[in-house]
């Protein structure tokens, strides 16, 4: 109402005082951004406690029970309304605050990596619990970043009576790419105007257009045969394990004739019961990765043919179940450019000598050619990666959201450059001052970008223009799952059942210890003798 009435006089106002009309709102925005930055800084302790707590939970995908309970508790305490168990996933939730437009979604992943248990701040492999999962990617830090940014901006929006809705959500089971396509399918992003995703990295960065890396389908093939005595009457049995092995042999021959950017890998999830019983059931779990939707679909069709062939050869039957899916990512130009301006203003954290010593010692431990330590210069704004230059790589199911609503991924410098990924080494920095400072820097950028979007509705409009007329002009989103595909929430249950009792003894208690390093009694940094000096 107010806006409509005001619009009738804007034309006149612009004619009379163009300078003030153009400048005043920007000055207000700049002042509010400054305020947001200091409000984020004032919450550095909260950031550290959240980062360290989630690190100590070390939960795998679909088992993020403590993590979700803890993070939603903090959000509720800060006035967010939390809806739990969304999309049929017990550990998934959406938290909302505010009213009206724009609706800004802040997301980040929360799950860990198998076998990645690791003492933080120690520059060599030293698990807290051997064999247990841990945060060997750094997913303990992204939602804490978003919470700090959201609380800071919420205070400002309340005080200034700014319209807008903040929606926080977790990337459940990102390592299985098994939640975001389900969130999209179930309409959780229907009313969202802009999606600001964030993911741990080793620099502050953002990109637009087609990202590097791949999309994928994660699918488990199960074969069924018949048991028999493996020595007494093997001719009476039909081996499902033979089918798995033949499918894998077939796939590995075919591999030579697939396009260069493709990646595929598998684990045998069921290889039978015991050698003297012909395996009646056996399963193999594949990730098929490619850089564009049509190529992923083609790999899936080849996989299905392989399963069919293996079943024919072994006189077994086969079935399959999609366990995860991720579209190749495409990020929004307007939002990326807006974010990048804020990245330039915030800049990288000031690293201490201890931070750099840890980073260089780890790079040496891993045998890296370069031991340059932590990033000291911000990355350029990332540009679209042409398909012909994309040689494949990892995936993230944020891809599905990026094809549903204008999206970016903000990377923040909480980890050490030059690590193999999905490995204990990526956990080393993740409950140290490196992670804490990286999260605070990222939260500042995120808070500033939220204010840009709240104060300048034209940015949201431009973002959708890019989405509608450029990004989705020739390519529309086609999900790999349908309305009946259940989320595979059974995954990782057995691993957590096995390790959780022991892991519980190491949960971080912020009421007793200033940091998790203090609780574990770790001297920061701990490096091998002879690597402490460069
Ligand atoms: Zn990740």
């Amino acid at each position: 109402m107010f806006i409509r009435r005001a619009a009738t006089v804007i034309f006149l106002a612009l004619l009379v005082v163009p300078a003030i009309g153009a400048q005043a709102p920007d000055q207000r925005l700049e002042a509010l951004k400054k305020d947001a930055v200091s409000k984020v800084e004032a919450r550095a302790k909260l950031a550290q406690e959240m980062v360290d707590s989630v690190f100590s939970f070390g939960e795998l995908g679909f088992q993020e029970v403590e993590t979700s309970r803890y993070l939603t508790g903090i959000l509720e305490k800060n006035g967010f309304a939390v809806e739990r168990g969304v999309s049929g996933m017990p550990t998934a939730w959406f938290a909302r605050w505010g009213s009206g437009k724009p609706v800004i979604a802040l997301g980040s992943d929360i799950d860990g990596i198998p076998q990645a248990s690791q003492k933080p701040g120690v520059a060599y492999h030293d698990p807290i619990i051997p064999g247990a999962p841990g945060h060997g990617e750094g997913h303990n830090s992204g939602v804490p970043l978003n919470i700090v940014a959201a609380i800071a901006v919420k205070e400002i929006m309340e005080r200034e009576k700014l319209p807008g809705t903040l929606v926080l959500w977790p990337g459940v089971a990102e390592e299985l790419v098994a939640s975001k396509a389900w969130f999209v399918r179930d309409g959780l992003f229907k009313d969202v105007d802009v999606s600001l995703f964030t993911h741990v990295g080793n620099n502050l960065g953002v990109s637009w257009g087609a990202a590097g890396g791949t999309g994928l389908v994660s699918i488990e093939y199960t074969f069924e045969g018949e048991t028999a005595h493996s020595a007494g009457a093997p001719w009476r049995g039909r081996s499902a394990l033979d089918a798995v092995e033949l499918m894998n042999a077939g796939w590995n021959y075919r591999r030579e004739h697939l396009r260069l950017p493709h990646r595929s890998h598998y684990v045998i999830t069921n290889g039978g019961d015991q050698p003297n019983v012909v395996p009646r059931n056996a399963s193999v779990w594949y990730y098929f990765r490619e850089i564009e939707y049509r190529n992923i679909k083609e790999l899936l069709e080849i996989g299905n043919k392989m399963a069919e062939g293996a079943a024919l050869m072994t006189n077994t039957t086969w079935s399959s179940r999609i366990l995860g899916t991720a579209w190749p990512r495409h990020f929004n130009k307007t939002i990326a450019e807006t974010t990048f301006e804020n990245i330039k203003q915030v800049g990288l954290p000031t690293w201490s000598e201890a931070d750099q010593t840890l980073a260089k010692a780890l790079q040496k431990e891993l045998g890296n050619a370069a031991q340059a330590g932590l990033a000291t210069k911000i990355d350029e704004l990332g540009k679209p990666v042409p398909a012909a230059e994309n040689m494949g790589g990892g995936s993230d199911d944020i891809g599905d959201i990026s094809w549903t609503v204008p999206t970016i991924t903000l990377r923040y410098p909480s980890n050490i450059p030059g690590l193999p990924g999905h490995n204990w080494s990526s956990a080393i920095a993740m409950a140290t001052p490196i992670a804490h400072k990286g999260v605070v820097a990222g939260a500042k950028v995120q808070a500033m970008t939220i204010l840009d979007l709240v104060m300048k509705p034209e940015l949201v409009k431009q973002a959708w223009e890019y989405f509608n007329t450029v990004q989705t002009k020739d390519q529309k989103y086609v999900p790999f799952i349908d309305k009946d595909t259940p989320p595979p929430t059974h995954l990782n249950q057995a691993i957590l059942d096995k390790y959780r009792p022991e892991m519980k003894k190491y949960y971080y208690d912020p009421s007793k210890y200033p940091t998790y390093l203090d609780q574990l009694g770790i001297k920061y940094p701990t490096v091998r003798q002879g690597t402490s000096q460069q």
Side-chain angles (χ1 to χ4, degrees), residues 109 137 139 174-175 199:
D109 305 321
E137 165 126 346
H139 286 178
E174 188 278 331
E175 301 300 350
H199 191 283

Side-chain angles (χ1 to χ4, degrees), residues 348-409:
L348 285 164
T350 306
W351 307 118
S352 69
E353 211 184 304
D355 299 333
Q356 289 288 14
T357 299
L358 181 78
K360 288 176 188 175
L362 178 59
Q363 289 162 343
K364 187 172 179 188
E365 175 77 13
L366 295 170
N368 291 9
Q371 288 143 36
L374 298 162
T376 51
K377 190 174 164 282
I378 58 166
D379 282 338
E380 299 288 307
L381 173 64
K383 299 281 162 57
V385 179
E389 290 169 25
N390 185 352
M391 282 297 108
S395 323
D396 187 323
D397 50 357
I398 191 61
D400 294 67
I401 293 167
S402 77
W403 285 93
T404 304
V405 44
T407 298
I408 54 111
T409 293

Side-chain angles (χ1 to χ4, degrees), residues 2-73:
F2 169 77
I3 291 168
R4 225 173 258 180
R5 256 183 278 130
T8 58
V9 293
I10 275 177
F11 178 63
L12 237 176
L14 284 176
L15 277 181
V16 180
V17 279
I20 295 167
Q23 264 179 13
D26 277 359
Q27 280 172 356
R28 183 179 175 217
L29 174 58
E30 289 314 310
L32 294 184
K33 282 186 178 181
K34 249 182 149 173
D35 192 9
V37 164
S38 65
K39 283 187 191 308
V40 167
E41 241 157 46
R43 286 174 177 82
K45 175 63 186 156
L46 174 65
Q48 173 258 313
E49 281 188 8
M50 289 193 285
V51 167
D52 286 5
S53 294
V54 180
F55 181 92
S56 77
F57 301 145
E59 294 171 311
L60 296 176
F62 290 122
Q63 310 304 323
E64 309 99 331
V65 178
E66 300 289 348
T67 303
S68 284
R69 183 184 303 147
Y70 171 77
L71 294 172
T72 54

